[in-house]
Amino acid sequence: MTTATTAAPQPREGRMAGRAFAFWLTNYRRVWRGTIISGFLSPLFFLVAMGFGLGALVDADAGGLGTPGYVEFIAPGILAAQAMQTAVGESTFPVMGALKWQRQYHAMLAAPLGIADIVLGHVAFVAMRVAITSVAFAIVAVALGAITSWWVVAAVLAAVLTGLAFTTPVFAFAARQDNDSGFNVLFRFIVMPMFLFSGTFFPVEQLPAVLEAVAKVTPLWHGVELCRSLVMGTATPAGSLGHVAYLALWVAGGLWLAFASFRKRLVT
């Protein structure tokens, strides 16, 4: 007489994302010191050099009548831009390494974790990293007098959303790369131009009409405008909701693409 055995039901994908997050958090506790320069000091250097250094010349050329001053103008822009840079940095080589070199994703998949758990857990960790760098930068910007509004709290949340708008599409892109040549293109021809020409350092209305239109399509422009309007008190409900919706669309679309890319790469 044979006895039929029934396999234990597996949890739905996405419900165990916390375990993937816990892994990345444990790993980060060992290497966090190496992220201080790229995640915190670099945007601080930009704020001091561009805001207080170049900003003094800009304000002097304006006859001291500029309100707000240049440093107050670029501080929320750098807040959004550093969120983008942190998100992209955490979504490129770490993803490729987990797929190709250290193969942590394969180990997670061998455990009772699904694709959604792996992706959502890692994305949540990147969001935490963006939040840490954003809070640290905001505290220093407030201490230096570059940001004076209590709305900086909302601006930090907007920066995290901006970072997520880059995290999920870059996850999808990184999961399909076999070497780092694609990352060189990403950093040189997408991330750096957006950093320079999406309103971080000057209004995009000063660009030629075609470039202005391109800049306003980028998620960074929406993040910069959202952070700046919140900090400067010029935000409107309709405008803020429009920026949030646009950034959320990038997050959702990128997440859908990331699921597809990870399934293609990990599931045979």
Side-chain angles (χ1 to χ4, degrees):
M1 179 177 179
T2 60
T3 303
T5 59
T6 303
Q10 294 295 318
R12 286 174 53 187
E13 282 196 21
R15 292 187 176 182
M16 302 183 70
R19 295 193 178 185
F21 173 82
F23 164 79
W24 293 108
L25 181 60
T26 301
N27 184 67
Y28 181 65
R29 289 172 180 168
R30 302 169 183 165
V31 300
W32 67 270
R33 294 175 182 84
T35 66
I36 293 177
I37 293 179
S38 62
F40 173 64
L41 292 182
S42 290
L44 177 60
F45 291 157
F46 271 106
L47 176 64
V48 173
M50 300 295 290
F52 292 100
L54 178 62
L57 297 177
V58 172
D59 294 339
D61 186 61
L65 300 177
T67 303
Y70 187 64
V71 67
E72 289 87 358
F73 176 81
I74 69 168
I78 295 177
L79 175 64
Q82 65 86 29
M84 172 194 72
Q85 292 179 323
T86 300
V88 173
E90 291 288 341
S91 305
T92 47
F93 287 101
V95 172
M96 174 176 282
L99 279 167
K100 188 173 182 180
W101 300 315
Q102 289 81 29
R103 300 173 71 86
Q104 292 102 325
Y105 290 149
H106 296 79
M108 293 178 187
L109 200 60
L113 272 71
I115 295 297
D117 301 306
I118 294 171
V119 174
L120 292 175
H122 201 171
V123 167
F125 169 77
V126 175
M128 184 204 73
R129 287 277 293 112
V130 173
I132 290 174
T133 56
S134 297
V135 169
F137 177 81
I139 290 173
V140 174
V142 169
L144 293 175
I147 296 177
T148 58
S149 172
W150 283 102
W151 279 98
V152 66
V153 176
V156 167
L157 296 177
V160 174
L161 179 60
T162 302
L164 283 173
F166 287 93
T167 299
T168 56
V170 176
F171 259 58
F173 174 75
R176 293 180 179 270
Q177 303 306 301
D178 291 321
N179 55 62
D180 61 0
S181 61
F183 297 156
N184 295 330
V185 174
L186 175 66
F187 283 109
R188 293 177 183 176
F189 299 109
I190 298 179
V191 174
M192 184 54 66
M194 272 196 287
F195 178 64
L196 295 174
F197 301 111
S198 291
T200 304
F201 301 106
F202 57 87
V204 297
E205 288 77 13
Q206 296 184 13
L207 293 170
V210 174
L211 294 181
E212 177 186 347
V214 173
K216 289 184 176 181
V217 173
T218 66
L220 181 57
W221 179 81
H222 288 269
V224 168
E225 287 295 305
L226 181 58
C227 290
R228 183 171 289 142
S229 63
L230 288 169
V231 168
M232 291 187 172
T234 60
T236 63
S240 298
L241 287 175
H243 292 311
V244 169
Y246 188 78
L247 293 171
L249 185 63
W250 275 85
V251 176
L255 197 60
W256 181 80
L257 292 173
F259 287 155
S261 296
F262 272 65
R263 285 194 178 93
K264 183 175 182 180
R265 191 70 180 266
L266 290 172
V267 180
T268 57

